[in-house]
Amino acid sequence: MKQALILDLDNTIYPVSSIAEHLFERLFWLLDQTEDGTNYEKIKDAKDELKRRPFHLVADKYNFGEELTEKGIDLLKNMAYDLPMQPFEDYRYIQSANIPKFLVTTGFSKLQWSKVNMLGIGNDFAEIHIVDPETSQQTKREVFADIMNRHFYSTDELLVVGDDPESEIKAAGELGIDTFLFDPENKHPGANATYKSVSLRDVLNHIS
Ligand SMILES: [Mg+2]
């Protein structure tokens, strides 16, 4: 029996694609201005990945270079999203589930908080943790361990729900916490997760 859920935000509670165009408009413009403009495929891949993964990881992977990385970070650090946002339709099942929930998300603080506010989900959570690589060395794994210790949860009393096998799913797995990979497009058929589903609603099958 699970005593608490730990949820990721981006692409777990709402689809980033729904806000990407507006959100990344200026960032994508910045990418298009780079010297490396001839490598169109690379920029296209990087843009696509920016919708799924934190900026600093994508910047590293695609060798944005110091200048572009700095410009991108400057832009994102001060960015907030201020248009209405909708969670995934099935999020309501999790929202109404009678179990304490913790939100743990990686990203720029101001931006992540603005998403929480525009989604109107702040009250769904006992605690909200934003792991901001700009201001802290803390990792999701450390935040999970901290939640577990402070609330005296054992590993088998928790379920971590997320969309990224390399992020929250991996971190929870390393701690021995059960994981639920939400994979609506079946992008990660070989991923190492305790449970996997295309439907967020299935989380309810694994908490009682
Ligand atoms: Mg995510």
Side-chain angles (χ1 to χ4, degrees):
M1 171 110 181
K2 299 302 178 194
Q3 299 296 332
L5 286 178
I6 298 179
L7 286 123
D8 168 53
L9 176 63
D10 296 317
N11 288 328
T12 296
I13 291 180
Y14 79 98
V16 176
S17 58
S18 67
I19 65 165
E21 204 170 317
H22 179 78
L23 179 66
F24 293 122
E25 207 176 24
R26 283 190 297 164
L27 184 64
F28 286 178
W29 180 85
L30 203 64
L31 287 185
D32 289 332
Q33 306 307 304
T34 55
E35 304 275 293
D36 207 10
T38 45
N39 199 341
Y40 179 75
E41 277 306 312
K42 189 181 119 181
I43 292 188
K44 199 168 146 267
D45 288 351
K47 283 179 179 173
D48 199 52
E49 209 156 325
L50 280 168
K51 295 176 194 171
R52 290 181 285 113
R53 305 183 68 210
F55 178 80
H56 69 286
L57 295 179
V58 180
D60 270 358
K61 178 171 171 184
Y62 290 91
N63 296 315
F64 281 5
E66 212 171 301
E67 198 190 332
L68 181 60
T69 302
E70 233 167 75
K71 278 187 185 167
I73 285 174
D74 261 359
L75 190 68
L76 287 164
K77 211 163 53 180
N78 297 303
M79 205 183 266
Y81 195 79
D82 56 6
L83 295 174
M85 289 174 66
Q86 290 297 326
F88 282 115
E89 206 185 314
D90 279 4
Y91 174 69
R92 64 197 158 109
Y93 296 108
I94 292 184
Q95 197 168 32
S96 56
N98 190 19
I99 183 170
K101 298 160 203 105
F102 296 80
L103 185 69
V104 180
T105 171
T106 303
F108 296 90
S109 296
K110 186 175 172 183
L111 182 57
Q112 296 308 84
W113 275 116
S114 72
K115 293 176 191 168
V116 169
N117 291 333
M118 295 318 290
L119 286 162
I121 56 170
N123 290 332
D124 296 348
F125 298 95
E127 293 176 12
I128 295 176
H129 297 271
I130 294 176
V131 178
D132 184 343
E134 271 306 290
T135 58
S136 159
Q137 298 290 320
Q138 210 182 22
T139 61
K140 275 192 179 177
R141 180 182 160 153
E142 287 165 349
V143 175
F144 295 167
D146 173 62
I147 290 170
M148 198 156 61
N149 293 335
R150 280 187 298 108
H151 295 277
F152 306 103
Y153 293 127
S154 60
T155 48
D156 56 1
E157 289 174 332
L158 293 173
L159 180 65
V160 167
V161 180
D163 70 293
D164 190 346
E166 292 305 314
S167 179
E168 58 279 343
I169 301 298
K170 190 175 170 197
E174 285 168 1
L175 292 168
I177 300 172
D178 281 349
T179 52
F180 181 99
L181 177 67
F182 173 50
D183 189 6
E185 290 164 37
N186 206 13
K187 277 186 188 163
H188 311 289
N192 204 356
T194 319
Y195 311 108
K196 258 184 275 187
S197 179
V198 294
S199 162
L200 208 48
R201 190 178 180 175
D202 282 343
V203 168
L204 300 192
N205 298 332
H206 305 297
I207 58 179
S208 53

